[in-house]
Amino acid sequence: MVSWEIIGAWIAAFIVIWIYSFAFRDNVFYKLAEHIFVGTAAGYSIALAIDSLNRVAIKSLITQPTVSWHYIIPIILGMLMFFKYSRKYYWLARYGVAINVAVGAALAVRTIPMANIIRQIQAALTPLWGSDPIKLVNNWLMFLITVGGLTYFLFTIFPPKPAPGRTSAIYTLYRALYLIGIYGMMVGFGALFANTIVTRVGFVISIYLIYLQPYIIATIIGVILAAIGILIEVRRRSK
Amino acid sequence: MSLTIRRFIPQTIVSIILIIMIIFYYFYINKSVSDAFTTWDKALSDWAVIITSFTLIIGGIDLLRYHLVQIKKIGVKQLPFSGTTIALEIIMVIFALIGLYYSYVYPKLGITITTQPQFTWLFTYLYAPTDSAVYSILLFYIASASYRAFIARNPMATLLLITAIVIMLGNTSLGNLIWPGFLPLRDWIMTVPNTAAFRPITMGVGFGTIILGLRLIMWREVSWLGRRE
């Protein structure tokens, strides 16, 4: 007896192979898998939206109407958003967007100064004198790269470039910090890029282990179908 | 009057909410004011969640409209693809609504929107594999991009290449077999130069967000209003 789980696992193996087939060439099975992804993703996000609407607003309105009466206002504002389809009353949707924009920006503005600026400055203030030479080198490196990066992102004030044959201490310092900043960021971007590659490789391996390896026949059939799809595409293009 | 209700009142709402939410967060007046602010702050966050739910539903409707237009425009050739998207979206929503119905009518069964059996099946065997496969297919593009990026053209590109190689080897067991020093070197790169390199970027993001908030308060940022009158 074939269970729904087995059918699902076979479909999952097919879909994964068909999506990977795009790395070789666009084909009809990739298009199908892509549309399956878009359809399920949209359906899933709507379901989650209904779920959060139910949990936050509707349940509270049913169980505690005296406390949660004000949830009627965002429900009305949310419904007003459907007016975006109207040519005449599209502006009514702006009231709901206004609340969302304001709350989102306020939450960001009040937490970011501490997390992104003050905490970063505090972490950058490390002792530049001491007895431990390794710690000292690390601290100096961190200080110079941080200040160098900030110099690189300074777009408002530039020290004037000295005339040919003349030198300027401020300009030399600016250039030196600027270069240290760029080199530091190159190290950072290299690390970021490498970590991204390693993460993606990890994803591919885990997908192979979860969806493909346990259902090898489904994987082979999926590969054959993808190959047929690619051949059809090649023939269609060559005509 | 028309412009007032179309533009100025929504912009005023944004300014007032932003100012109130920021001022009462930073300044303590007294306990009763603080308690009232906490209550309304939580309520406003809930309002945003409720409105966001409606925007997600509208996004789904937009997608349906788009695919219906595509079928109309392209014809039978597009039907199997757009038809699949439309059918799956509607089917998932129907199963979610069945889950919602069961959660109210038969609460003892413990079925909710996200635990409805057919909905869970669609999520597990269609959405989850496609989502992870689409995300991981980027590996092929990153591999192609790294082929172009990791070329030692100048000292900076060389530094990028060396760092990337050290990090990749430090992350794998093969690297440890080649030279045991790759792991500590990777840890040092991640802790010292990498942290210092991203610190100015993080600060820049912080300043950018504050400036965005100020622009919203002063009605300079109007892109969220959508189409212009």
Side-chain angles (χ1 to χ4, degrees):
Chain A
M1 178 77 184
V2 180
S3 68
W4 279 103
E5 278 72 30
I6 298 290
I7 295 169
W10 273 58
I11 293 171
F14 283 168
I15 290 171
V16 167
I17 290 293
W18 293 346
I19 286 173
Y20 282 157
S21 70
F22 183 70
F24 187 71
R25 193 181 276 257
D26 192 8
N27 63 78
V28 68
F29 290 109
Y30 168 74
K31 265 186 200 156
L32 187 66
E34 188 191 24
H35 281 81
I36 288 171
F37 171 60
V38 173
T40 47
Y44 183 64
S45 62
I46 293 175
L48 283 193
I50 296 169
D51 190 42
S52 75
L53 199 63
N54 175 44
R55 274 187 294 107
V56 179
I58 297 165
K59 263 192 187 158
S60 310
L61 275 170
I62 293 168
T63 51
Q64 302 168 301
T66 48
V67 183
S68 313
W69 60 269
H70 58 88
Y71 286 145
I72 293 166
I73 302 166
I75 290 173
I76 293 167
L77 290 173
M79 285 176 171
L80 286 180
M81 290 188 108
F82 286 96
F83 277 101
K84 91 180 192 69
Y85 297 116
S86 158
R87 279 177 196 274
K88 202 174 172 189
Y89 299 107
Y90 67 92
W91 50 271
L92 280 167
R94 286 175 179 168
Y95 285 83
V97 181
I99 303 281
N100 259 18
V101 167
V103 173
L107 290 175
V109 167
R110 68 194 199 183
T111 51
I112 267 183
M114 184 53 89
N116 279 39
I117 300 168
I118 295 168
R119 290 257 189 270
Q120 294 297 325
I121 294 170
Q122 278 178 340
L125 294 172
T126 47
L128 299 175
W129 288 270
S131 53
D132 186 354
I134 297 169
K135 207 173 175 185
L136 216 60
V137 169
N138 284 345
N139 287 354
W140 268 100
L141 256 177
M142 284 189 87
F143 171 75
L144 287 173
I145 294 172
T146 305
V147 176
L150 286 170
T151 314
Y152 179 79
F153 287 117
L154 206 67
F155 299 126
T156 42
I157 309 161
F158 297 102
K161 202 174 178 179
R166 306 192 98 189
T167 53
S168 158
I170 295 173
Y171 185 76
T172 313
L173 182 72
Y174 168 78
R175 282 296 300 171
L177 284 172
Y178 182 91
L179 280 173
I180 290 169
I182 292 176
Y183 278 97
M185 277 189 282
M186 282 298 142
V187 174
F189 294 141
L192 183 75
F193 208 2
N195 274 329
T196 312
I197 293 171
V198 172
T199 314
R200 295 289 196 281
V201 171
F203 256 111
V204 172
I205 293 167
S206 64
I207 283 172
Y208 170 73
L209 292 174
I210 296 167
Y211 297 113
L212 305 181
Q213 197 196 33
Y215 306 98
I216 200 73
I217 299 168
T219 308
I220 292 165
I221 296 170
V223 169
I224 293 166
L225 287 172
I228 293 167
I230 289 165
L231 280 173
I232 293 168
E233 190 66 22
V234 170
R235 281 195 66 179
R236 198 180 65 81
R237 290 259 172 105
S238 63
K239 272 182 187 173
Chain B
M1 179 63 192
S2 162
L3 209 60
T4 308
I5 56 165
R6 283 179 187 206
R7 290 181 72 98
F8 299 153
I9 294 177
Q11 284 183 301
T12 312
I13 290 171
V14 170
S15 300
I16 290 171
I17 290 176
L18 255 165
I19 291 167
I20 288 174
M21 280 183 81
I22 292 167
I23 284 180
F24 285 101
Y25 179 78
Y26 281 109
F27 299 101
Y28 179 83
I29 296 162
N30 58 46
K31 197 179 177 303
S32 64
V33 173
S34 175
D35 289 346
F37 166 70
T38 311
T39 312
W40 278 101
D41 190 63
K42 164 86 175 61
L44 272 173
S45 300
D46 287 346
W47 284 26
V49 171
I50 293 165
I51 294 166
T52 307
S53 304
F54 279 99
T55 59
L56 281 168
I57 295 167
I58 288 167
I61 293 168
D62 273 351
L63 193 82
L64 283 180
R65 273 164 51 115
Y66 171 79
H67 280 284
L68 286 171
V69 170
Q70 286 292 100
I71 293 171
K72 218 172 165 184
K73 230 192 311 187
I74 301 169
V76 188
K77 268 177 106 178
Q78 186 63 23
L79 191 63
F81 306 115
S82 288
T84 307
T85 302
I86 292 168
L88 279 169
E89 190 181 337
I90 291 170
I91 287 167
M92 278 196 95
V93 173
I94 287 170
F95 284 136
L97 290 174
I98 291 170
L100 183 69
Y101 170 78
Y102 270 90
S103 71
Y104 278 103
V105 181
Y106 307 106
K108 281 185 182 170
L109 288 174
I111 296 172
T112 59
I113 290 176
T114 47
T115 57
Q116 204 277 337
Q118 283 76 29
F119 182 84
T120 316
W121 188 90
L122 286 168
F123 174 81
T124 315
Y125 297 110
L126 289 185
Y127 176 69
T130 47
D131 185 43
S132 35
V134 166
Y135 189 65
S136 69
I137 200 178
L138 292 173
L139 169 73
F140 300 106
Y141 297 99
I142 283 177
S144 134
S146 60
Y147 179 73
R148 274 166 277 147
F150 294 161
I151 296 172
R153 271 186 233 98
N154 49 43
M156 283 176 213
T158 315
L159 194 62
L160 186 99
L161 170 71
I162 293 167
T163 314
I165 289 169
V166 170
I167 297 289
M168 278 193 279
L169 288 172
N171 268 325
T172 53
S173 45
L174 179 73
N176 197 40
L177 281 174
I178 296 168
W179 181 51
F182 276 127
L183 190 63
L185 193 58
R186 185 210 69 163
D187 287 346
W188 179 80
I189 289 172
M190 293 308 289
T191 335
V192 180
N194 183 58
T195 311
F198 282 103
R199 198 158 275 156
I201 297 170
T202 314
M203 286 182 195
V205 170
F207 287 121
T209 312
I210 294 167
I211 288 161
L212 177 73
L214 289 173
R215 279 175 64 86
L216 280 167
I217 290 171
M218 293 188 292
W219 297 11
R220 289 273 177 184
E221 183 61 53
V222 288
S223 56
W224 63 272
L225 286 167
R227 66 177 101 162
R228 283 173 178 256
E229 278 82 20

